[in-house]
């Protein structure tokens, strides 16, 4: 299991509550790594950008239905 140091904890609970700044933080943190991963699979810039966008839209729509992570480090 990946353990993120406390000072680097991501604001998932805040994003779940609808906090726009928390979503911005998650987007800034994961947009490039996700794009690089998807681009390596598709080798198509526009399709990769579209898929990253759709992924974040889906995450926004469904984050409330995901179980909370109560694991302790």
């Amino acid at each position: 299991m990946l353990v993120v140091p406390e000072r680097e904890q991501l604001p998932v609970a805040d994003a779940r509550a609808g906090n726009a700044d928390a979503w911005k933080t998650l987007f800034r943190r994961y947009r490039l790594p996700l794009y690089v991963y998807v681009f390596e699979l598709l080798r198509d810039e526009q399709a990769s950008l579209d898929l990253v966008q759709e992924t974040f839209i889906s995450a926004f729509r469904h984050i409330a239905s995901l179980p909370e992570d109560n694991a302790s480090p």
Side-chain angles (χ1 to χ4, degrees):
M1 175 194 297
L2 176 64
V3 177
V4 179
E6 190 170 327
R7 71 183 191 292
E8 295 181 37
Q9 288 292 324
L10 297 171
V12 175
D14 292 337
R16 182 186 300 271
N19 180 308
D21 288 334
W23 277 106
K24 288 177 189 175
T25 298
L26 292 172
F27 179 71
R28 279 189 224 114
R29 170 66 178 91
Y30 289 105
R31 68 180 168 193
L32 183 58
L34 181 57
Y35 172 78
V36 169
Y37 176 75
V38 171
F39 184 80
E40 287 292 318
L41 295 173
L42 302 180
R43 298 288 183 192
D44 182 311
E45 182 178 351
Q46 190 58 53
S48 298
L49 290 170
D50 290 345
L51 189 55
V52 169
Q53 178 176 324
E54 289 299 320
T55 299
F56 277 97
I57 290 169
S58 183
F60 181 80
R61 287 182 181 155
H62 299 289
I63 194 169
S65 67
L66 296 175
E68 290 190 32
D69 181 14
N70 295 322
S72 57

